[in-house]
Amino acid sequence: MTSRTALFEQFEELGIPRDVPVVVHASLRSVGEVEDRGEGLLDALIAWVTRDKSPEGGLLCVPTHTWDRLGGPDPVTMDVKDERTCVGTLPTLALRRADAVRSLHPTHSMAVFGDPEKVRAWVAGEVMKESSTAPDGCWGKLRTAGGFVLLVGVGHNRNTYLHSVEEWLGVPNRLSPNFVPMRIRLASGDVIERPIRCHHTVGISEVSAKYPKYEPAFRAHGCIRDGFIGSAPTQLCDCAKMAEVVALVRERSGGIELLGDEKPLEEAYYL
């Protein structure tokens, strides 16, 4: 079993920052047994990244996605009081905490922890964003705020941030051409109408499944630092650097579609 003290040692060895936003995607099964189970891991991450919610600390962000409800019988795609998500167990544990502040996004919300003033500023205006991972929203701000993505026992096919990078770069065929009607139910029971352009690919199946193709390019440019959390191989990924690398690849490839097949990226596109 990995103790809380041992987790902090692993965080330090990985170099997980303590003054910027960090988004964590995690497979608890890969992490293995830790002190106080998943709740213990989450509590340790919050304490480390936020410096116990100090004004000098960073923000820990846990994806709480509900995009699986699109097209379902209920037009409400995100209910603030509903703990169910489509992205694993850690998000459910995050939403059960009284100190979680959830961004108001109909499909790609996140639970945010840290200094209350910083948290409020981070999620402010999210309800008005017009796409799944808007460049000026919670996901896009990771690039401009010096943020990091922590992949714990999972790969870049779970790296939601890369959707935002592609939005920022205007990659064709990534968003639905029209706004899709959605609703958010607040804790009060009131419902907000929130149409957005959602992730949409033309001629490409599950584009995020191809995001691991970028990993060699990320590694070649020093975007990733490797380590472990519990028993899980973990990648600490620099958001600004990843965006720069994807932009470089897009420029050198002439803007062609790179994620429509299983072929690895040509080295000429990033070396």
Side-chain angles (χ1 to χ4, degrees):
M1 175 180 291
T2 306
S3 68
R4 182 180 175 92
T5 298
L7 285 173
F8 286 152
E9 291 172 353
Q10 290 180 318
F11 299 165
E12 184 170 17
E13 186 172 354
L14 259 169
I16 298 176
R18 309 187 70 188
D19 56 356
V20 295
V22 177
V23 170
V24 57
H25 296 272
S27 164
L28 293 184
R29 184 187 300 271
S30 296
V31 172
E33 292 190 20
V34 300
E35 184 178 345
D36 294 329
R37 308 178 63 171
E39 293 90 343
L41 172 62
L42 179 58
D43 193 64
L45 283 166
I46 293 170
W48 178 271
V49 172
T50 73
R51 297 180 185 265
D52 292 320
K53 302 177 188 173
S54 162
E56 291 76 36
L59 298 174
L60 185 78
C61 308
V62 182
T64 53
H65 298 172
T66 53
W67 45 257
D68 62 326
R69 300 179 196 176
L70 282 170
D74 188 347
V76 173
T77 54
M78 200 276 271
D79 186 333
V80 172
K81 296 176 72 173
D82 191 337
E83 298 172 350
R84 294 172 299 161
T85 77
C86 57
V87 282
T89 303
L90 195 70
T92 299
L93 298 178
L95 289 176
R96 289 176 180 170
R97 292 181 59 112
D99 55 346
V101 176
R102 193 175 189 181
S103 61
L104 294 179
H105 192 283
T107 58
H108 286 70
S109 61
M110 58 173 65
V112 186
F113 302 88
D115 171 69
E117 185 174 343
K118 284 186 173 182
V119 170
R120 285 193 296 271
W122 186 257
V123 303
E126 188 70 2
V127 71
M128 298 305 298
K129 301 311 172 189
E130 297 187 339
S131 63
S132 296
T133 51
D136 62 344
C138 288
W139 289 98
K141 288 188 294 187
L142 291 165
R143 175 178 60 86
T144 55
F148 285 78
V149 172
L150 195 61
L151 301 175
V152 185
V154 298
H156 288 273
N157 57 318
R158 296 291 184 265
N159 189 350
T160 300
Y161 166 71
L162 295 180
H163 283 296
S164 184
V165 172
E166 290 194 324
E167 283 195 47
W168 171 59
L169 291 172
V171 177
N173 300 326
R174 292 299 191 263
L175 292 175
S176 58
N178 301 313
F179 284 85
V180 178
M182 301 181 196
R183 295 178 184 174
I184 301 168
R185 182 176 290 119
L186 304 178
S188 64
D190 294 335
V191 173
I192 297 174
E193 300 281 347
R194 183 64 266 173
I196 67 168
R197 295 179 66 199
C198 54
H199 291 153
H200 170 70
T201 57
V202 178
I204 306 170
S205 175
E206 299 181 6
V207 65
S208 58
K210 305 297 194 306
Y211 283 154
K213 292 176 66 169
Y214 283 120
E215 185 172 332
F218 293 155
R219 292 190 175 280
H221 286 267
C223 302
I224 297 171
R225 182 166 181 171
D226 294 294
F228 282 86
I229 290 181
S231 300
T234 299
Q235 299 182 40
L236 178 67
C237 311
D238 186 309
C239 291
K241 288 183 178 180
M242 285 192 293
E244 291 171 2
V245 170
V246 175
L248 174 68
V249 169
R250 294 283 305 166
E251 179 182 359
R252 289 191 179 176
S253 66
I256 63 173
E257 179 54 68
L258 298 169
L259 304 183
D261 56 40
E262 302 297 333
K263 297 178 183 177
L265 289 184
E266 295 184 22
E267 290 187 349
Y269 293 159
Y270 60 87
L271 291 182

